[in-house]
Amino acid sequence: MKAQSQECRYVDEPRSIPTTQGLCAEMNGCGDRECPMHHAFRPEGRRAAHGDAQALAELGFVVVELDGMGTPWRSKAFHEAYYGNMGDNTLPDQVAGMKELAARFPYIDLDRAGIYGHSGGGYAAADAMFRYPDFFKVGISEAGNHDNRVYEDDWAEKWQGLLVRDGDKTNYDNQANQLLAKNLKGKLLLAHGTMDTNVPPNNTLLVVDELIKANKDFDLLMLPNRGHGFGNESYMVRRRWDYFVTWLAGAQPPKEYKLNTEGR
């Protein structure tokens, strides 16, 4: 398993430091072959939320990026490790990898673990908050395709298979985030662009509806007239940083700090 991490360049003696994990998983063209289910931690992938790694480290977090099972450019078996179970989202490998790193570097505080991502990474980040509610305490999910039955069939069927019904059950139930929303325990920020033509915003609203039914507290940010790629917009960047600083670091960020994101 490949891994990389970023840490603040100005910490002389490591202390107890919260950990974030960045997911930016999407289907992109990757040379002569297509990327997999969720190549969530490939540097070559799309960077809407991926580019925050060093910035978050400078805010006081250890940022971890892991290539778990399902990542391409290895064997076919590795690539298709969770075919038919997209809800896996390589999360068992992410949790195992973070635990291994914490065992090696005791200053990593797994009691303050967070996760974030955009698009497929937003899907995986919310999934992590629902499947591992005692591990991940804070999550930020942007533009997530939370149920691939209402996303692009050409993408979903490639990794989940054709839809098969069995009474009131289907083989897509294991990947539907809204069916797990009742498990939420931590702090979750959901964000979506209202004009997203890649992942329609009803994907996030499916999750919102179930969170409300389960009487869960959460945060929702709908960005008017934005499409799919709002992750690097200065407002979203600032809200993302503020969310982790507030709920993981336990600090108070400067109110409505204006970022200069030219060149990002």
Side-chain angles (χ1 to χ4, degrees):
M1 182 186 297
K2 283 186 177 180
Q4 65 180 21
S5 66
Q6 282 77 30
E7 300 174 18
C8 180
R9 292 170 290 186
Y10 308 109
V11 175
D12 295 324
E13 295 183 5
R15 58 200 185 282
S16 176
I17 302 177
T19 307
T20 64
Q21 192 167 64
L23 290 83
C24 186
E26 281 190 290
M27 282 292 292
N28 298 304
C30 296
D32 58 355
R33 58 190 299 185
E34 289 186 310
C35 298
M37 302 165 263
H38 297 297
H39 63 293
F41 316 101
R42 294 297 300 181
E44 297 86 352
R46 195 167 295 183
R47 294 169 176 253
H50 199 145
D52 276 354
Q54 190 59 47
L56 285 168
E58 301 301 335
L59 289 172
F61 302 98
V62 175
V63 184
V64 179
E65 299 173 343
L66 300 174
D67 283 354
M69 298 286 282
T71 307
W73 301 299
R74 291 173 175 78
S75 67
K76 181 175 175 61
F78 193 97
H79 188 179
E80 297 180 347
Y82 57 92
Y83 176 85
N85 182 25
M86 283 197 294
D88 178 286
N89 268 315
T90 191
L91 293 172
D93 288 343
Q94 307 310 313
V95 172
M98 292 173 74
K99 288 180 177 179
E100 174 67 20
L101 285 171
R104 295 185 189 185
F105 306 100
Y107 59 85
I108 294 178
D109 184 1
L110 287 188
D111 289 331
R112 293 185 290 165
I115 192 164
Y116 69 102
H118 191 95
S119 193
Y123 166 51
D127 191 23
M129 295 295 293
F130 303 152
R131 290 184 191 271
Y132 296 91
D134 294 317
F135 186 84
F136 291 107
K137 304 304 195 301
V138 180
I140 301 172
S141 170
E142 302 170 12
N145 47 307
H146 297 286
D147 185 344
N148 290 284
R149 286 171 290 196
V150 292
Y151 183 47
E152 297 177 6
D153 55 356
D154 59 337
W155 190 87
E157 291 175 0
K158 185 179 293 184
W159 306 114
Q160 188 72 10
L162 295 173
L163 180 68
V164 177
R165 299 184 184 277
D166 182 11
D168 60 351
K169 305 289 186 181
T170 82
N171 61 320
Y172 272 66
D173 293 347
N174 63 5
Q175 57 77 57
N177 276 349
Q178 72 271 20
L179 300 182
L180 301 171
K182 62 182 181 293
N183 297 334
L184 179 67
K185 293 183 179 180
K187 293 290 184 179
L188 175 63
L189 171 61
L190 297 164
H192 218 114
T194 63
M195 299 297 287
D196 192 333
T197 57
N198 182 340
V199 180
N202 68 308
N203 277 260
T204 288
L205 296 180
L206 285 171
V207 174
V208 167
D209 190 37
E210 292 303 318
L211 289 169
I212 291 172
K213 289 178 182 177
N215 197 33
K216 296 294 181 177
D217 291 330
F218 63 97
D219 294 292
L220 176 64
L221 176 60
M222 300 298 288
L223 292 95
N225 303 316
R226 269 67 161 193
H228 192 60
F230 60 84
N232 279 344
E233 186 175 326
S234 60
Y235 184 77
M236 187 69 241
V237 172
R238 198 261 296 172
R239 290 293 302 271
R240 193 161 57 235
W241 294 357
D242 284 357
Y243 208 73
F244 281 136
V245 167
T246 300
W247 299 115
L248 272 189
Q252 182 65 43
K255 183 176 174 57
E256 298 176 354
Y257 183 81
K258 184 167 179 59
L259 297 177
N260 180 1
T261 56
E262 290 183 12
R264 278 180 60 85

